[in-house]
Each structure stands twice: as structure tokens, then as C-alpha cells.
Amino acid sequence: MNILESSTQSSSQVVINEIERQRALMTDLHDLVLPKRDPCSGQAKLVQQLFQDIFNSSSKVISFLELGDTREKQANHMEYKRTHGKNNMESHVLEEETKEVRNKRRKNVKHIGSIVTQAPHFDGYQWNKYGQKWISKAKHSRSYYRCASSKGQGCLATKTVQQKETDGGGTVRLFNVDYYGQHVCKKDGIIHPYVAETARHGAPIVNHNQSSISTFVNNDAHRIQDESYENLFTMPDMPQYLIDIGMAEALEITSMNLPLISEDIWA
DNA sequence: ACGATTTGACCATG
DNA sequence: CATGGTCAAATCGT
């Protein structure tokens, strides 16, 4: 067992849990408030916009906290090595992992951060896929993306996405997303370093009695092959208020990731 | 026709 | 030599 994962909940995780709880409550509030509005009215759109802003904001906070956590764990690992010596087995395993993250990149591009998410796409940037590899012994392939502005603006940012091997064998699919290189491009004049998870096109408002997890995971119509999860998230030219609706479902999925919340809110 | 994705080949690194 | 990151031709979707 990896000590990085077995360590007790970090303070960041506690905060993340609380924010997720707020988001879950917000989704409930969303469901209560919105049906009372005329869907075509400007007021309904305003309400959606406000929810969207809140969700985006909390998503950013969570992403930053998760990144901080990753770095803290790496720092903790170095400390652990110093205090426990080099012969320790777990220490050795972790050393390999850290090395891999740091050195295996060919181009001199810095590892910016990594997150674990159920929605590895739509992090605020447009990405072009330029490769896919089956990594030794891993169950799932790794996909390579570079910023879509690499041509136009010479942005060198890249990311890799790989589905996590969850030991539970459950229904929730998690993805490791690693970011390399800072964005030098501008997106509508706003720079979003790490952004929210969103959901697929045209998703209905959350229905608490019918788990959207099953919709998400077993969407056979879209699942052309095992690794083509991207198809689930395609949202070409989606109006803002529709993205908002999609957000609600993404939030439900995200919340399922956190046992405390899922028991309280989604049971 | 064009842009995006797929996929096998190529190549740098340890 | 094995591994993993990148290239680029082929293919796909619109």
C-alpha cells in the first residue's frame, strides 16, 4: 500500500470536502429555485449564471487545493525518506514514482501539477490530442494533449490524461491529469490555470432519484471504444446557460467521490 | 476541403 | 533494450 494514499486526510482534503458539501447543497438549492422560474425569462438565465459563477469559483478553489495537496505529499515524501532511510521498501517505491514524474519528460518542460478528476476535459483550455500510448502494465492508455494555441500563439502547455486504476472496481471512473508547461496563450483575455469539471452536452438537471453515474458510465451510445471517454464531454459551441445545466450533473458525479457527502446528500 | 483524432513509427532517455 | 514522449500519415467527422 502506498503511503501517500494511506496517510490520514490532509487539511486540504477537509476543506475540499466542505466545499463539495456546499456545492451539493447549492445543487439542491438550484433544483428548488429553478423550476419556479420561467425557463425563457431573463431571470432564469440570471439564476443559472449565478449558480455557474459559484460552481466555477468553488471548482477553482478545489483544483488549487488538490494541486497543493499533491505538492505537499511530495514534500512529505522527501521528509519521510530523510527520516526513515533508503532501505525502506515503501520509500523505494515512492522514490521511483517521484523520479518518473520529474525526469521522464524529454523536452525541457516543467511539470506544473496534476489533478484527479472524473471529467478530465474542459479545464478551461482547448486541447488537441497528439498521441496515445499504452503504458506498460497499466490497464488504460495515456493520452497526450497540447494546447490548441500551440500553433497560433506558440503556447507550449501540454497535458496527459490517464484513467486511474481504481482498486474498488466501482462504477466511478477517475482520471489522472498531469499538466506540463505554463500557458502563454490567452483565452478571451482571461487566464484560467486549473479549472472546473464540467459535464456533457445537454445533460438534464440533476435527478436525485436516478443516479446519473449510470448514465455517465454506461452511455453505450457514445462509448465507441474503451478509451474514448472524451466523447462523453463534447460540447461544441454550447451556450452558457446550457453549460450551467451540465454543471449540475457534473457536480453530482463529483460528489459521489466523497463518501461523507454522498451519504448525506445523495443517498 | 479542412480541422481534429488515431495510430504506428521514430527517437530520446535511463 | 525497454519505456514513454512526439511525429506525421492516414483516417474520420463536419
Side-chain angles (χ1 to χ4, degrees):
Chain A
M1 155 86 77
N2 188 329
I3 62 159
L4 291 187
E5 287 177 356
S6 67
S7 60
T8 54
Q9 256 193 350
S10 67
S11 53
S12 298
Q13 190 57 54
V14 173
V15 177
I16 290 170
N17 287 352
E18 285 307 308
I19 294 173
E20 289 288 356
R21 184 175 170 76
Q22 287 174 18
R23 286 165 56 135
L25 291 167
M26 194 63 67
T27 305
D28 281 348
L29 186 62
H30 173 278
D31 292 348
L32 280 172
V33 168
L34 215 69
K36 301 189 190 308
R37 310 277 157 204
D38 173 8
C40 301
S41 72
Q43 206 176 31
K45 286 183 183 177
L46 180 63
V47 169
Q48 286 283 18
Q49 185 62 55
L50 289 171
F51 276 112
Q52 169 76 35
D53 290 346
I54 294 167
F55 290 149
N56 281 350
S57 172
S58 60
S59 294
K60 276 188 208 173
V61 173
I62 289 171
S63 295
F64 275 112
L65 285 171
E66 284 175 339
L67 278 177
D69 245 16
T70 306
R71 284 169 185 161
E72 194 183 337
K73 279 175 183 170
Q74 281 180 357
N76 286 344
H77 163 55
M78 300 312 277
E79 177 66 22
Y80 184 88
K81 265 170 53 186
R82 266 201 298 141
T83 52
H84 289 78
K86 285 182 180 172
N87 294 331
N88 183 288
M89 269 287 279
E90 286 180 326
S91 174
H92 178 70
V93 170
L94 286 167
E95 188 170 11
E96 290 295 308
E97 287 178 0
T98 311
K99 227 194 304 183
E100 191 209 349
V101 164
R102 285 201 186 141
N103 299 331
K104 281 270 173 93
R105 290 277 152 166
R106 199 172 312 146
K107 287 188 175 175
N108 204 14
V109 179
K110 222 168 79 180
H111 184 237
I112 297 302
S114 56
I115 61 170
V116 177
T117 175
Q118 291 165 4
H121 308 287
F122 301 102
D123 46 14
Y125 285 97
Q126 289 285 108
W127 301 93
N128 291 332
K129 189 172 179 177
Y130 66 90
Q132 182 175 345
K133 272 295 245 209
W134 285 95
I135 302 305
S136 64
K137 289 164 196 163
K139 280 183 189 164
H140 308 285
S141 65
R142 178 179 299 166
S143 295
Y144 300 86
Y145 298 84
R146 65 168 59 95
C147 179
S149 307
S150 58
K151 282 180 188 170
Q153 299 182 47
C155 183
L156 295 176
T158 63
K159 73 172 180 179
T160 65
V161 175
Q162 186 173 14
Q163 186 173 343
K164 246 187 149 194
E165 296 176 33
T166 47
D167 37 11
T171 52
V172 177
R173 294 194 290 176
L174 291 172
F175 299 89
N176 279 319
V177 185
D178 285 293
Y179 292 91
Y180 298 87
Q182 290 285 1
H183 283 277
V184 297
C185 59
K186 279 189 178 178
K187 196 200 76 171
D188 301 330
I190 305 166
I191 293 178
H192 291 172
Y194 309 101
V195 197
E197 300 157 357
T198 59
R200 60 200 165 81
H201 182 42
I205 293 281
V206 170
N207 178 351
H208 290 177
N209 298 323
Q210 178 194 4
S211 170
S212 60
I213 296 284
S214 56
T215 316
F216 174 78
V217 173
N218 299 320
N219 196 337
D220 288 321
H222 291 89
R223 199 174 55 203
I224 296 160
Q225 63 183 64
D226 181 41
E227 300 295 324
S228 60
Y229 42 80
E230 320 27 33
N231 296 321
L232 296 174
F233 301 96
T234 303
M235 299 191 296
D237 303 325
M238 179 188 276
Q240 188 64 44
Y241 60 89
L242 284 181
I243 295 174
D244 301 341
I245 292 169
M247 284 296 289
E249 186 168 10
L251 286 171
E252 182 179 17
I253 295 163
T254 305
S255 302
M256 295 297 276
N257 199 17
L258 302 159
L260 270 176
I261 294 168
S262 59
E263 279 169 20
D264 289 344
I265 306 295
W266 311 111

